[in-house]
Amino acid sequence: MASCIGLLILQVGLWRVFELAPQLQAAADVPVPQTSLTVVIPAYNEAGNIGACLASVLNGQPPCVDWEVLVVDDDSTDSTAELAVACAARHPQSTAGFSVLPAGPRPASERWVGKNWACTRAMEQVRSDWVLFIDADVQLQADAIRRSLAQAIADQADLLSLAPRLTCDCLAEWMVQPIMASLLGLGFPIEAANDPDSDVAFAAGPFMLFRRSVYERIGGHRALAAEVVEDLALARRIKTGGHRLRYLLGLDAVDLRMYADLAALWEGWTKNWCLGLDRDPGKALAAAGVVVLMFSLPWLLIPVAIGLLLVLPIAQWWWLALLAAASIAVLQQLILRLWTRREFQLPIDYWWLMGAGGLIVGTIGPVSVWRTFTGQGWTWKGRSLR
């Protein structure tokens, strides 16, 4: 019964959040803005992603009269830089300028984590009015940047960030990512993030469009060198500085595939889970437990209830009630995935593995707490975050 109640609260909460959530506006037939933009793509060992990401940018509609694309090779040990150059050569028709910047090794006497170093190095040569940071595992629709820039200008935004559509290709993603998408949608209310009077600040790191003058005013990535979840920190700096934050649904504009396999997914979520819950171990463990309760327990109870019906006929009504409650919870999970398909365009493939996904998330919680507070095994793409 607790699983049913939890899933009902999740479904109602998500429905309310997304009914009120602002979305990226459709393309308008307006002149190209007389402004300038630099698209920065920080990339560390992104040989498997950089080609598709860069092609989606270069194939896009010109967002303004003056724009360029800058790939920052964050001291990769693979062929990221070479593949980026080759990709650009295959798109000579693009109106964007293009260059690759070697970020170079990080200062040995300073602590730099994540993509903060690469983004900071990029800003040493960015002079445009606007700067868009996107991750290398993102693919954009042809009008994504143009629509975003037009809306940022119209809304007088200092930071415009888009919630992307998650895509899944490996089994681990199908088990975990739909659950995570639901939790993120409920845990970070979009309506509150867009309210200047609310303390809630949120932005999605894969797509962050800044007014450059304001970005520099808040200190940019350089001021957050040691910040692991830099997108939230930047959003907070925008809001606390009295600047305008716009966080919108961009499900028809931005596609994000976060993890290539279970190992990458495990590293990524154990890095972020505890930090995303205010670095509070109590919250992190409780949230992981709730996920197991809602998504895994019903699948575990169904065979137990059936077995009890077969071997312990006494008080069958009790076992029948248990079986009914577990079955209703499983049906609620299917309904949730159907809703997710409608809102996020995420297919319902492998929905019946959500129970296994819940167990993975339930394990991610305590491991994330351990890694966050001890630093042991706490990495980003193999780089230590200690």
Side-chain angles (χ1 to χ4, degrees), residues 297-379:
L297 188 61
W299 292 95
L300 297 173
L301 287 179
I302 288 176
V304 171
I306 293 174
L308 290 172
L309 279 170
L310 294 175
V311 302
L312 293 174
I314 300 175
Q316 282 192 347
W317 64 270
W318 173 255
W319 315 135
L320 283 171
L322 183 65
L323 178 60
S327 300
I328 291 171
V330 168
L331 178 61
Q332 287 179 286
Q333 293 180 24
L334 174 58
I335 293 172
L336 178 62
R337 285 295 299 273
L338 290 169
W339 180 87
T340 304
R341 181 176 66 179
R342 188 189 72 179
E343 296 293 336
F344 301 155
Q345 294 84 54
L346 186 65
I348 62 171
D349 299 39
Y350 303 106
W351 76 269
W352 42 272
L353 288 177
M354 294 184 79
L359 292 176
I360 294 175
V361 176
T363 310
I364 282 172
V367 172
S368 179
V369 170
W370 170 259
R371 289 184 170 182
T372 302
F373 285 96
T374 68
Q376 296 183 22
W378 199 32
T379 60

Side-chain angles (χ1 to χ4, degrees), residues 28-33 61-64 142-151:
D29 188 15
V30 294
V32 176
Q61 300 172 3
C64 56
D143 61 355
I145 303 179
R146 183 171 184 176
R147 291 165 60 193
S148 302
L149 181 59
Q151 186 155 354

Side-chain angles (χ1 to χ4, degrees), residues 43 70-76 81 99-105 117-118 121-122 124-125:
L70 175 61
V71 174
V72 187
D73 178 28
D74 194 6
D75 212 18
S76 299
S99 59
V100 173
L101 171 68
W117 172 247
R121 291 281 287 127
E124 293 175 5
Q125 64 182 56

